[in-house]
Amino acid sequence: MKNILFPTTRRIVTSLLTLLTATIVPSCKSDFFDKQPLDAISDATFWKTEKDANLALVGCYNFGSGWASGDFFGGMSMIYLDMMAGLGSEKELIPDAVTNGTLNSTYWLTGAFWSNSYVTIARCNNFLDRVNTITINETTKAMMVAEVKTIRAYLYLNLATYFGDVPMPTKTLTIAEANSIRRTPKAEVWAFAENELKSSFPNLPSTRPVSDRGRITSGASLAILGRLQMAEKKWSDAAATYKRIIDSGVYSVDQAGFAQLFRQTGENSKEVVFAHEYLEDFLSTVMLQYLYPEAYGGWHQFSPYNELVQSYECTDGKTVEESPLYNANDPYANRDPRLDYTIMISGRTTFKGITYEASPTSTSPDRITRYNWSGYCINKFMDPSFSGSLTNYGGNFPLIRYPEVLLSYLESKLEAGEAIDQALLNATINQVRGRSSVAMPAVTTTNPASLRTIIRRERKVEFAFEGLHYFDIQRWGTAAAELNRQFTGMKLTNTPATYTAFPVDSQGFYLYQKRNFVAGRNELWPVPQSERDINPNLTQNPGY
């Protein structure tokens, strides 16, 4: 059991969160409603001491736990985002429906991302409106304000990325204001978030003591700023931002092993810049119930696509199309070790003494014919040291890792038109590829077009299922091209020309699913119809 004071503090405030959120709008003016509540906490009685401010701050960090999904913080939600982005499918097609051409304005999942974001933004606004009413050390107050502004800026970055123009309340709203607010242009939302982050990171510490683990640091705030500047294509600014993190010396690529980064044993790694903190028996996650194959007691909810599998290079650093090491009859051999760390492969992956099996001719509960499965399963986040309930896991979910800083710094320098040399490659992408548990050959090309392709592939395989790929294909402008295609699953035969049991491609991979992303429409999510029913000033995105 990890000893983390900050999530533990949440125990005190959990029962207060709903009441604090209820302070978003004032109550009606009458003698009856003006009385202080006898069994609840109100703003009039709560905001008195520094302890109150700390409790309210914890409320802003309440990113959800248990079965929660549809937000920009939780592990399940990050996996959903990558499934939307074409890294795989889900047994009930829940994330698939966002990018398969069927998305509409009443879909609950995109609506959840909207509503959950604004609930947290309301808590942040309430905190910022009230914290100045308390007598508190100015340095402490500045740090707390910076944390809250970073959380809010992170949400506005994501809301504008996926919805485009969005409402941007920066203070607590009355009911009338909330029901009439208009959408702010995307560029203005991003500009506001950028300014908030720039003013926040100087007031944040570079590291936190164990008792405050989970709270935002200057590195986390800068990393979010870097993402935003990349989305804005402010390449030189982004490079400078990432260089600040690198020069801080706080973070490093973990040499203890790639797989352990996504287990409880690695959650305090110096590679983790920002994580969603979970805690067994209190603020746990059900993610393992979704991830585990059925043979291990899970639901096998997710199925990676073979297109992701084929993105992993061979051990000589060449792609499967180029490498002499690639064997079409044994396609999983001689591959980047991150493939096995990330994806369960039928007949190859062993977990807790059981070999994962998905062959259609097997009797395994995970055989490909039982459900809407590709034959692959997610291996990243599978924690062999955990023996508790799969619905009560306390391992953290990394939202930002140091390899993102390094790869983003290199990409920003490249896109800014700066000269790339071997020293820069060795300081960035080759640190990521060269960790002892991966040991992939160093990148040596400095040709801009070739290097761009390599960086994009490296991001795809390094961060698979961590929620970053959707953000990447949005800013690269490649979403339509990547999501309008036939996707395949596991290798079923080495004689595809004569194989008739299941549909396969020319290499014998299972013809699994086709996505029909609608260019010009699905780049943005629809504004939820339920919100537009309440507020007629909310316009809709094109095509919805």
Side-chain angles (χ1 to χ4, degrees):
M1 176 72 70
K2 57 188 173 186
N3 179 24
I4 301 177
L5 178 60
F6 188 62
T8 304
T9 307
R10 298 182 192 179
R11 301 181 191 187
I12 304 171
V13 77
T14 298
S15 62
L16 307 180
L17 290 177
T18 302
L19 299 172
L20 289 174
T21 304
T23 64
I24 295 170
V25 294
S27 57
C28 301
K29 292 293 182 182
S30 71
D31 288 342
F32 179 81
F33 287 109
D34 281 347
K35 293 179 180 178
Q36 297 298 336
L38 302 178
D39 61 349
I41 293 175
S42 71
D43 281 335
T45 60
F46 180 77
W47 291 92
K48 299 295 184 183
T49 67
E50 183 173 335
K51 180 180 178 181
D52 296 337
N54 275 309
L55 291 176
L57 175 64
V58 171
C60 295
Y61 276 97
N62 181 32
F63 300 148
S65 59
W67 300 91
S69 64
D71 58 75
F72 293 109
F73 292 100
M76 284 290 296
S77 299
M78 295 300 103
I79 295 174
Y80 272 4
L81 284 174
D82 268 2
M83 294 297 166
M84 296 174 198
L87 297 192
S89 182
E90 191 260 352
K91 191 159 63 174
E92 297 175 40
L93 306 180
I94 291 171
D96 306 41
V98 176
T99 53
N100 68 2
T102 65
L103 181 63
N104 61 58
S105 62
T106 62
Y107 195 50
W108 72 268
L109 182 56
T110 49
F113 277 96
W114 174 289
S115 60
N116 288 331
S117 294
Y118 281 110
V119 166
T120 300
I121 287 170
R123 290 175 183 157
C124 291
N125 287 342
N126 190 53
F127 178 93
L128 296 171
D129 288 345
R130 302 286 180 173
V131 70
N132 286 323
T133 65
I134 295 176
T135 301
I136 186 173
N137 177 276
E138 288 301 318
T139 301
T140 300
K141 182 191 296 184
M143 180 181 66
M144 296 168 75
V145 167
E147 291 174 75
V148 172
K149 286 187 174 181
T150 295
I151 293 168
R152 185 175 65 178
Y154 172 79
L155 288 170
Y156 278 135
L157 160 62
N158 283 287
L159 284 168
T161 295
Y162 296 104
F163 290 98
D165 302 347
V166 292
M168 194 181 71
T170 59
K171 64 179 182 65
T172 302
L173 302 180
T174 65
I175 292 176
E177 289 171 333
N179 290 346
S180 60
I181 191 170
R182 298 178 183 274
R183 298 169 73 186
T184 299
K186 175 179 179 177
E188 292 182 27
V189 175
W190 277 353
F192 171 78
E194 183 175 2
N195 288 332
E196 292 284 278
L197 292 164
K198 285 179 176 178
S199 66
S200 294
F201 79 82
N203 294 317
L204 292 165
S206 59
T207 60
R208 295 280 192 177
V210 172
S211 60
D212 282 347
R213 187 168 290 140
R215 293 178 68 172
I216 289 168
T217 61
S218 58
S221 188
L222 282 165
I224 295 168
L225 175 60
R227 277 193 192 180
L228 174 54
Q229 290 167 330
M230 291 180 80
E232 295 175 303
K233 303 192 184 305
K234 294 182 177 180
W235 300 113
S236 295
D237 291 347
T241 295
Y242 285 118
K243 188 66 162 57
R244 280 181 175 270
I245 304 173
I246 294 168
D247 289 347
S248 73
V250 172
Y251 307 101
S252 60
V253 175
D254 198 324
Q255 299 300 319
F258 183 81
Q260 64 89 32
L261 286 166
F262 311 100
R263 302 168 181 170
Q264 287 179 310
T265 53
E267 61 186 17
N268 297 325
S269 167
K270 290 188 71 175
E271 183 166 314
V272 178
V273 179
F274 183 43
H276 184 160
E277 301 268 329
Y278 290 107
L279 189 64
E280 190 175 341
D281 296 327
F282 174 55
L283 289 167
S284 60
T285 174
V286 301
M287 187 173 71
L288 295 189
Q289 183 67 56
Y290 282 79
L291 291 177
Y292 271 46
E294 293 206 357
Y296 305 84
W299 291 343
H300 189 160
Q301 204 74 15
F302 301 108
S303 290
Y305 285 143
N306 186 56
E307 283 63 32
L308 171 61
V309 172
Q310 294 296 80
S311 295
Y312 290 83
E313 298 169 356
C314 293
T315 51
D316 58 3
K318 297 180 180 180
T319 66
V320 296
E321 293 82 14
E322 301 168 334
S323 175
L325 297 179
Y326 181 70
N327 181 353
N329 293 333
D330 188 11
Y332 312 115
N334 304 315
R335 303 289 293 280
D336 182 334
R338 288 173 293 186
L339 171 58
D340 282 317
Y341 294 144
T342 304
I343 297 174
M344 283 187 154
I345 299 169
S346 180
R348 179 179 176 90
T349 304
T350 299
F351 181 72
K352 291 191 173 183
I354 302 174
T355 299
Y356 170 68
E357 182 59 68
S359 169
T361 59
S362 75
T363 58
S364 167
D366 297 292
R367 62 188 180 277
I368 199 171
T369 53
R370 285 197 68 218
Y371 288 106
N372 176 44
W373 286 331
S374 69
Y376 299 118
C377 198
I378 295 177
N379 198 20
K380 186 182 271 190
F381 314 113
M382 296 281 283
D383 192 339
S385 66
F386 183 67
S387 58
S389 167
L390 298 184
T391 60
N392 186 31
Y393 184 57
N396 297 345
F397 191 96
L399 292 168
I400 303 173
R401 293 190 292 116
Y402 188 55
E404 180 189 341
V405 173
L406 296 177
L407 294 177
S408 296
Y409 177 59
L410 176 60
E411 181 181 349
S412 297
K413 298 274 279 187
L414 174 68
E415 299 300 346
E418 298 188 29
I420 306 297
D421 58 20
Q422 192 61 48
L424 178 59
L425 294 175
N426 290 342
T428 54
I429 191 170
N430 290 334
Q431 280 200 49
V432 179
R433 294 166 61 87
R435 70 168 84 229
S436 57
S437 59
V438 174
M440 287 294 289
V443 173
T444 58
T445 183
T446 57
N447 174 271
S450 299
L451 185 56
R452 181 177 295 111
T453 298
I454 291 170
I455 292 171
R456 291 183 179 187
R457 181 168 62 245
E458 188 71 18
R459 291 178 70 93
K460 183 177 182 181
V461 302
E462 171 73 18
F463 306 120
F465 311 122
E466 295 177 53
L468 196 55
H469 193 56
Y470 202 156
F471 171 76
D472 280 346
I473 63 175
Q474 287 281 67
R475 65 186 181 83
W476 292 334
T478 62
E482 293 203 27
L483 294 169
N484 252 324
R485 62 193 296 186
Q486 173 71 53
F487 287 96
T488 55
M490 67 180 288
K491 180 89 167 180
L492 289 180
T493 180
N494 288 329
T495 57
T498 58
Y499 182 79
T500 58
F502 297 93
V504 295
D505 68 5
S506 61
Q507 300 179 66
F509 291 108
Y510 175 45
L511 288 174
Y512 180 40
Q513 290 179 340
K514 192 174 187 306
R515 290 277 177 102
N516 297 290
F517 185 94
V518 181
R521 182 176 79 189
N522 291 148
E523 286 85 358
L524 294 177
W525 295 346
V527 175
Q529 187 59 45
S530 58
E531 299 291 332
R532 299 186 69 226
D533 289 342
I534 296 170
N535 180 0
N537 288 332
L538 292 179
T539 57
Q540 185 56 277
N541 285 324
Y544 297 105

